[in-house]
Amino acid sequence: EVQLVESGGGSVQSGGSLRVSCAASGFIFSDHYMDWVRQAPGKGLEWVGRIKNRANGYTTLYAASVRGRFTISRDDSMSSLYLQMDSLKTEDAAVYYCVRLTLVVERSNYYYMDVWGKGTTVTVSS
Amino acid sequence: QAVVTQEPSLTVSPGGTVTLTCGSSTGTVTSGHYPYWFQQRPGQAPRTLIYATSSKHSWTPARFSGSLLGGYAALTLSGAQPEDEAEYYCLLSYSGVYVFGTGTKVTVL
């Protein structure tokens, strides 16, 4: 069964750091791109960023709101995805979801979001 | 950053049809935005319903369909079921940056 399980959420003070993780199972992790998406309490979804696979140089992309503060990494040998969050702000408080992307082979190949984890909660206090 | 807009709420009768739309502040939504639609039931994680405008996942019920309509991405639900009551989000790609829509709460009543 394909599974994504986030962990590492918790409470941190504004200006602090936290690393959340996503453990993948049931598929060949190294083949896939991976995203982080977050949802503040009572709010909508916000795309945080992406890390591509080894074949695409482990390239990372970030939303403007987190660029320079958050770092996405992965360990293919551990089938794990990470989100290092530094200089946290109160507005970073959210449920953080990891999302798998799978390659679609058509006229123009692309990756699409297919499987979501259940999320881990990050609280940032002032 | 682009703003992606959706209707805040829509109501549909059981068995009825409803269309949700997704607009971009930058102009017409095209297939190049690779429009997605996600469903999020209360207390649950989102799940992908539609990607690349109209492609469905294996778990997407046949009553959901995606399209481009009058400059918008659209999600049509035909034959609404009580379990379709949820929040629906679209997502557009802007050259490697992704922006979610504001979300539409669909009530089946």
Side-chain angles (χ1 to χ4, degrees):
Chain A
E1 181 195 1
V2 171
Q3 262 198 315
L4 298 171
V5 179
E6 300 90 338
S7 62
S11 190
V12 63
Q13 283 203 314
S14 180
S17 297
L18 192 67
R19 187 177 87 155
V20 295
S21 304
C22 172
S25 60
F27 64 98
I28 302 173
F29 180 75
S30 58
D31 285 348
H32 294 262
Y33 290 8
M34 298 296 296
D35 277 7
W36 286 101
V37 173
R38 67 184 181 182
Q39 186 169 35
K43 302 295 185 183
L45 301 172
E46 181 184 12
W47 180 79
V48 173
R50 172 169 301 173
I51 187 164
K52 298 183 180 180
N53 54 17
R54 180 183 179 186
N56 288 277
Y58 296 126
T59 300
T60 52
L61 301 164
Y62 297 96
S65 59
V66 307
R67 196 175 297 130
R69 299 187 301 120
F70 288 13
T71 303
I72 300 173
S73 61
R74 61 192 294 165
D75 183 339
D76 290 347
S77 68
M78 298 286 289
S79 296
S80 291
L81 174 72
Y82 306 102
L83 178 65
Q84 175 68 42
M85 300 181 285
D86 298 321
S87 304
L88 280 161
K89 306 175 182 180
T90 54
E91 54 263 40
D92 295 319
V95 175
Y96 283 77
Y97 297 101
C98 70
V99 187
R100 185 184 81 168
L101 291 93
T102 294
L103 177 65
V104 176
V105 178
E106 292 181 351
R107 280 178 299 171
S108 62
N109 296 349
Y110 61 93
Y111 284 79
Y112 84 102
M113 298 174 175
D114 57 354
V115 178
W116 292 65
K118 290 185 173 10
T120 187
T121 300
V122 172
T123 305
V124 183
S125 59
S126 55
Chain B
Q1 174 172 289
V3 176
V4 178
T5 54
Q6 300 180 239
E7 298 88 357
S9 63
L10 291 169
T11 300
V12 59
S13 301
T17 297
V18 65
T19 297
L20 290 64
T21 65
C22 175
S24 172
S25 63
T26 63
T28 298
V29 176
T30 71
S31 59
H33 289 99
Y34 292 89
Y36 282 85
W37 291 94
F38 304 92
Q39 178 191 62
Q40 187 177 32
R41 294 183 174 126
Q44 294 186 14
R47 67 168 183 163
T48 305
L49 288 179
I50 300 286
Y51 62 96
T53 306
S54 59
S55 295
K56 296 183 184 183
H57 220 290
S58 56
W59 54 67
T60 304
R63 59 185 179 272
F64 289 96
S65 62
S67 64
L68 295 175
L69 204 60
Y72 294 80
L75 176 71
T76 299
L77 168 57
S78 304
Q81 301 297 309
E83 62 265 28
D84 299 328
E85 189 160 293
E87 193 84 22
Y88 292 82
Y89 294 93
C90 67
L91 173 73
L92 300 180
S93 169
Y94 295 88
S95 301
V97 175
Y98 298 81
V99 182
F100 279 95
T102 47
T104 297
K105 180 171 173 52
V106 171
T107 300
V108 181
L109 190 62

